[in-house]
Amino acid sequence: TRLVEAAEAAGVALLVGHHRRHNPLLRAAKQAIDAGRLGRLVAVHGTCWFHKPASYFAPAWRRAAGAGPVLTNMIHDVDLLRWLCGEVASVQAQASSALRGHAVEDTAVVLLRFASGALGSITVSDTVAAPWSWELTSGENPSYRQTPESCFLLGGTDASLSLPHLDLWTHAGPPDWMTPIAPERLAVPPGHPLALQLRNFRAVIAGDAQPVVSGREGLNTLKVVAAVQRAAATGQTVEIG
């Protein structure tokens, strides 16, 4: 908070590395949502499942509270949903360290209530052998072998959207579960998210652009994740101011 406030008071640009906002896949998704193609957003779900080997936890800090997948991995999923679906009003959460027994969680389930009234859920675990995570499905990082799966589902009154494949599912006529439903794969402009992020960084330095992800935006996402941690620790619903 102090860093963001100091930068704003000094009129200095502050950027946060939520690189997914630069991804053309997600920009195409946001364009479809903002254009009303999904109708009113009702429900969203994200899956962030992967398996970290035992060697990952050799450094002691990776076994300490605060170093788990909620803060280090799921924060990017929270930022993605904030950007696509709007501000989060409150959260509920449960976390478990039952598998490894470390001080840090290995699995968490999160419920989100958006200011719009939409409801969302995210499950995250770094001890599941699975193909359903952004890293494995999006293909944006060649270090991971891409899987043909989806890891986010966004449901609206007129249509639903799967990510990262951008399949927009609509009925043949007014929405009715008794009528056929079929996908339309949305077009994606070219561009690599990390290259686009660096391009924005350079333009901000040159004074030609504003940060795609400002310090304030990064702070607002961090507030949601901090609320998730409090909710998991207390078992209570945490409102986000």
Side-chain angles (χ1 to χ4, degrees), residues 3-223:
L3 180 61
V4 171
E5 291 176 347
E8 291 177 347
V12 175
L14 181 63
L15 292 77
V16 177
H18 284 299
H19 64 281
R20 295 183 191 177
R21 294 204 194 190
H22 298 265
N23 195 312
L25 288 168
L26 294 177
R27 292 189 175 189
K30 183 167 177 58
Q31 184 178 21
I33 294 167
D34 291 347
R37 297 200 63 184
L38 275 68
R40 180 170 177 175
L41 201 62
V42 176
V44 300
H45 176 67
T47 304
C48 183
W49 293 356
F50 44 84
H51 198 289
K52 293 176 180 175
S55 58
Y56 176 89
F57 298 96
W61 68 268
R62 286 181 170 168
R63 304 189 299 273
V70 166
L71 183 60
T72 60
N73 303 107
M74 194 190 75
I75 190 169
H76 293 291
D77 300 295
V78 169
D79 188 72
L80 183 158
L81 291 182
R82 275 194 61 244
W83 187 50
L84 294 180
C85 307
E87 294 299 339
V88 176
S90 66
V91 303
Q92 296 173 289
Q94 292 284 335
S96 173
S97 59
L99 190 82
R100 297 191 179 100
H102 295 161
V104 67
E105 79 282 347
D106 51 53
T107 306
V109 176
V110 180
L111 299 179
L112 308 169
R113 179 179 291 275
F114 292 89
S116 67
L119 299 179
S121 60
I122 304 176
T123 59
V124 60
S125 180
D126 63 9
T127 189
V128 174
W132 304 293
S133 67
W134 183 258
E135 285 74 19
L136 291 179
T137 61
S138 67
E140 68 179 22
N141 187 338
S143 297
Y144 301 94
R145 179 172 293 183
Q146 188 176 10
T147 67
E149 303 295 325
S150 296
C151 62
F152 284 94
L153 300 175
L154 289 78
T157 53
D158 294 338
S160 292
L161 184 66
S162 67
L163 297 174
H165 299 301
L166 290 177
D167 286 333
L168 185 73
W169 289 82
T170 55
H171 286 277
D176 183 336
W177 68 346
M178 299 297 292
T179 63
I181 189 168
E184 168 198 351
R185 182 153 292 187
L186 303 182
V188 180
H192 192 283
L194 295 181
L196 293 171
Q197 183 181 44
L198 287 173
R199 185 179 301 172
N200 178 242
F201 186 33
R202 181 180 64 185
V204 170
I205 293 172
D208 297 330
Q210 294 297 314
V212 168
V213 189
S214 67
R216 178 65 60 179
E217 275 295 283
L219 178 60
N220 289 339
T221 292
L222 185 59
K223 286 180 178 179

